[in-house]
Amino acid sequence: MSSLLGIFLFLYLFLLLSSISAKNRDYKWEVEYMHWCPDGVDGVVISINGQFPGPTIRAIVGDTIFVHLTNNLHTEGLVIHWHGISQIGTPWADGTALISQCPINPGETFLYKFKVDKAGTYFYHGHYGMQRSAGLYGSLIVEVPKDEKEPFHYDEELNLLLSDWWHKSYHDQQIDLSSKPFRWIGEPQTLLMNGRGQFNCSIAAQFSKLHIPQCKLRGDEQYAPQIFKVHPNKTYRLRVASTTALASLNLAIEGHKMMVVEADGNYIQPFFVENMDIYSGESYSILFKTDQNPSNNYWISISVRGREPKTPQGLTILNYIPNFASKIPNSPPPLPPLWNDYNYSKTFSNKIFGLMGLSSRPPTRQNRRILLLNTQNRIEGYTRWSINNISLVFPTTPYLGSIKYGINNAFDTKSPPNTFSKNYNIMKPPPNPNSTYGNRVYMLKFNTTIDIILQNANALGENVSEIHPWHLHGHNFWVLGYGDGKFDHKKDVDKFNLKNPPLRNSVVIFPYGWTAIRFVANNPGVWAFHCHIEPHLHLGMGVVFAEGVHLVKNVPNEALNCGLTRKMFVKDKNK
């Protein structure tokens, strides 16, 4: 009995100390339009408290974040998604419009309250319409508790948020995408590092064969590159996240080998690379040593992958102190791999494994397998993307509210397709390109293990299949493997990595290939799973999962105060 009492007292003290060390971090944010020059061309961004990108949130595991968000956009709603945060117990704070909450109307203030329970490199961004394309994003860093150590050592830390930028407004882009005939938005004009880029000039102008003017490196210009200052002979951790709307990227630090140690907030088996691919929605931590000639500065570069590069490299300088920050490196910027060298990209992805001893293993068996065929289609002459021939559109009532309160006429309650035709030829354009709109939900049995096979295919045009980075809300999943061609259950399941697959929240499917993931449906709520390319989600490339919604408690009324749930709250108020 005394030993049991001792264990009880130990657990009580542990929980008490944990709660004492955890902090409440309170923020008041006002979101509004702002004139800005991200790349030297005057435009309009969506800012937070007058900042672009938005303020960086830094917290420690166990902290509770309070964000009082006021919408000053005047003409449109907004939400914020906290990308990579599981939102355990707070699915209404996931920030997905018409899935987990209503859009925050102009003039309204909404309180996001959630706990950060896992250390890692994350970010946040708008998740209503295409507001991420307008610059509504920022970094979110969660550190380990002060009495814990990470499985790697570094002296100092740097943070790099990657994005892309268009001179056409995101409103115009949405109109183009929804037009008949279809108007593609084109490639971004500029790649941004921490919200800064250079259009029609180059930091490396002296190395160019073209007559490009030299960019200004100093001054108050909003587009002047952020120089990364480092001391020689130290180890740096570079936290890097990509919130691009379209571009897949390759990152390089001239002359420096990079050790990749974290992916999407999960420790991985360290490995060295000279450059690395990073897709929209992904985040990494890399370590590098400042062991090069200290009298020089060096390039940090990002280049487009997976699309014919019509956007110049994004560049900034790794400045070895005490050199002048404006000192141009001695060599041209690093040459990226060929944009369509997918084998190069696959080699990088296949090097990522869970860290043995610290990364959990997946369940050995699945309870349900869902195959999702990704196709480009047409609906009544409009170009759309579809999953299993259904193009996602959102209902006017958030799924979380309609499912929790049993409002059956809020969306189509038929089960969406679990698979696609075995005879479908993924190597050719669809023989019948017509699709249908839909808002069905995959109802997952709580606490079951789910396998998802993402299957890529040919688009409407001949010999066209694109890279698609997919992101799952509310969960981390194990990446069991990648493959070329059509998924073959008999052959490919045996190749799944069940020993040390990486935990991720985002994953890529390569052209004409498949990707297999596994997760446990143990987080009550309704969760989006979608391509993280902004125009692709806008055109219907996504699905919705629901699990254990009856277990969700304490949903704020203001989260669901729209559509049919609004009528329900009004009735309750008038009683």
Side-chain angles (χ1 to χ4, degrees):
M1 184 62 119
S2 59
S3 62
L4 286 174
L5 181 61
I7 293 172
F8 174 79
L9 288 172
F10 172 79
L11 290 173
Y12 174 78
L13 289 171
F14 175 79
L15 292 171
L16 182 64
L17 289 171
S18 299
S19 63
I20 292 173
S21 60
K23 291 184 178 180
N24 292 339
R25 298 184 183 267
D26 207 289
Y27 303 90
K28 290 186 178 180
W29 285 1
E30 295 198 3
V31 179
E32 58 191 352
Y33 300 115
M34 180 175 71
H35 282 284
W36 202 254
C37 299
D39 63 355
V41 177
D42 188 50
V44 174
V45 300
I46 298 180
S47 67
I48 300 175
N49 292 350
Q51 296 183 43
F52 167 75
T56 296
I57 290 179
R58 297 194 75 98
I60 297 174
V61 169
D63 288 353
T64 300
I65 308 296
F66 294 80
V67 177
H68 306 261
L69 187 74
T70 300
N71 179 5
N72 290 332
L73 297 183
H74 302 302
T75 60
E76 59 188 302
L78 70 90
V79 295
I80 297 283
H81 170 54
W82 314 94
H83 188 108
I85 304 301
S86 296
Q87 299 292 351
I88 298 171
T90 52
W92 49 267
D94 187 49
T96 43
L98 301 173
I99 297 178
S100 64
Q101 71 169 109
C102 301
I104 305 165
N105 290 323
E108 291 182 349
T109 297
F110 181 81
L111 172 61
Y112 285 104
K113 176 186 175 184
F114 57 91
K115 183 174 285 190
V116 290
D117 61 347
K118 191 172 188 180
T121 304
Y122 307 107
F123 60 102
Y124 60 85
H125 60 81
H127 214 296
Y128 181 62
M130 290 176 58
Q131 291 174 344
R132 178 157 53 96
S133 297
L136 183 53
Y137 46 71
S139 294
L140 198 170
I141 308 300
V142 182
E143 300 172 353
V144 296
K146 295 186 186 300
D147 58 346
E148 290 185 19
K149 291 186 177 180
E150 296 190 89
F152 44 80
H153 168 77
Y154 57 95
D155 300 305
E156 296 183 42
E157 183 178 303
L158 304 168
N159 189 45
L160 177 58
L161 186 64
L162 308 177
S163 55
D164 42 15
W165 186 250
W166 282 258
H167 293 162
K168 179 179 284 189
S169 76
Y170 77 100
H171 291 119
D172 288 344
Q173 291 182 41
Q174 289 180 163
I175 293 169
D176 285 351
L177 292 170
S178 302
S179 294
K180 185 170 62 172
F182 178 72
R183 296 185 181 186
W184 177 236
I185 63 172
E187 302 303 307
Q189 276 66 66
T190 313
L191 302 178
L192 305 182
M193 296 182 176
N194 290 342
R196 295 164 178 258
Q198 294 78 42
F199 178 73
N200 272 350
C201 70
S202 174
I203 306 174
Q206 67 192 61
F207 299 105
S208 175
K209 295 179 182 179
L210 304 173
H211 296 290
I212 302 175
Q214 176 77 27
C215 296
K216 295 180 180 179
L217 295 182
R218 290 186 171 187
D220 297 328
E221 292 88 353
Q222 295 161 352
Y223 59 92
Q226 178 181 337
I227 306 297
F228 287 84
K229 297 181 178 294
V230 294
H231 294 274
N233 300 313
K234 292 196 178 280
T235 298
Y236 283 82
R237 177 184 192 168
L238 178 64
R239 296 182 183 267
V240 56
S242 176
T243 185
T244 54
L246 174 65
S248 301
L249 300 173
N250 182 268
L251 169 70
I253 306 176
E254 180 199 2
H256 296 72
K257 283 190 174 182
M258 301 183 290
M259 178 189 285
V260 189
V261 295
E262 176 215 342
D264 296 347
N266 298 284
Y267 298 129
I268 60 173
Q269 198 68 34
F271 65 96
F272 283 101
V273 291
E274 292 185 356
N275 57 65
M276 59 179 286
D277 287 348
I278 179 167
Y279 304 99
S280 178
E282 292 188 328
S283 61
Y284 292 94
S285 281
I286 61 175
L287 304 183
F288 68 93
K289 292 182 179 179
T290 49
D291 54 4
Q292 299 301 296
N293 184 341
S295 63
N296 294 332
N297 289 340
Y298 299 87
W299 295 110
I300 299 177
S301 68
I302 51 174
S303 309
V304 171
R305 301 285 290 133
R307 307 182 69 86
E308 188 175 351
K310 298 177 182 178
T311 309
Q313 273 184 313
L315 296 172
T316 190
I317 292 174
L318 186 71
N319 172 213
Y320 271 57
I321 296 173
N323 299 329
F324 288 116
S326 58
K327 182 179 180 180
I328 300 297
N330 294 331
S331 305
L335 279 175
L338 291 174
W339 69 270
N340 57 355
D341 187 349
Y342 297 116
N343 287 329
Y344 192 97
S345 301
K346 292 172 187 176
T347 298
F348 174 77
S349 294
N350 283 315
K351 287 181 179 179
I352 302 174
F353 298 103
L355 182 59
M356 299 298 284
L358 286 180
S359 185
S360 61
R361 289 191 181 187
T364 55
R365 295 182 180 180
Q366 48 80 22
N367 301 110
R368 182 179 179 184
R369 179 172 291 131
I370 301 172
L371 281 75
L372 301 177
L373 175 67
N374 191 97
T375 56
Q376 192 178 37
N377 301 87
R378 292 193 182 96
I379 303 177
E380 299 174 353
Y382 295 96
T383 300
R384 299 285 297 185
W385 287 94
S386 300
I387 302 301
N388 291 351
N389 213 41
I390 295 177
S391 185
L392 180 64
V393 291
F394 297 113
T396 56
T397 303
Y399 290 108
L400 182 63
S402 56
I403 296 174
K404 178 174 175 59
Y405 298 115
I407 304 173
N408 294 323
N409 58 340
F411 63 92
D412 186 350
T413 56
K414 294 179 183 177
S415 297
N418 249 21
T419 187
F420 57 93
S421 171
K422 293 181 180 178
N423 298 322
Y424 192 92
N425 186 353
I426 68 163
M427 306 304 293
K428 298 288 184 181
N432 177 5
N434 294 315
S435 182
T436 58
Y437 296 112
N439 54 23
R440 303 179 188 180
V441 177
Y442 286 91
M443 298 292 185
L444 307 180
K445 188 176 180 180
F446 191 61
N447 263 336
T448 57
T449 299
I450 310 298
D451 277 8
I452 304 293
I453 310 298
L454 290 164
Q455 177 69 66
N456 213 344
N458 201 101
L460 287 171
E462 291 276 356
N463 302 314
V464 176
S465 185
E466 300 182 9
I467 280 177
H468 299 291
W470 277 67
H471 171 58
L472 177 60
H473 293 229
H475 302 79
N476 283 276
F477 51 74
W478 293 273
V479 182
L480 302 184
Y482 306 89
D484 297 322
K486 188 189 288 188
F487 179 76
D488 186 322
H489 176 270
K490 293 181 180 179
K491 296 179 181 178
D492 292 327
V493 169
D494 291 339
K495 301 175 186 176
F496 285 176
N497 175 17
L498 301 179
K499 180 182 177 183
N500 59 347
L503 268 175
R504 303 294 301 265
N505 61 57
S506 297
V507 73
V508 64
I509 47 172
F510 293 104
Y512 301 109
W514 57 264
T515 298
I517 68 171
R518 178 170 292 177
F519 69 96
V520 179
N522 58 1
N523 191 5
V526 185
W527 310 106
F529 183 43
H530 62 89
C531 179
H532 209 259
I533 291 174
E534 195 82 312
H536 291 181
L537 175 59
H538 183 72
L539 294 173
M541 194 188 297
V543 296
V544 177
F545 297 135
E547 62 203 59
V549 178
H550 63 287
L551 300 173
V552 176
K553 298 178 180 178
N554 303 320
V555 182
N557 286 356
E558 56 268 27
L560 304 176
N561 197 18
C562 63
L564 296 177
T565 43
R566 177 180 176 83
K567 295 178 182 178
M568 182 181 67
F569 293 144
V570 169
K571 285 181 181 178
D572 289 345
K573 191 175 181 180
N574 292 335
K575 283 182 180 178

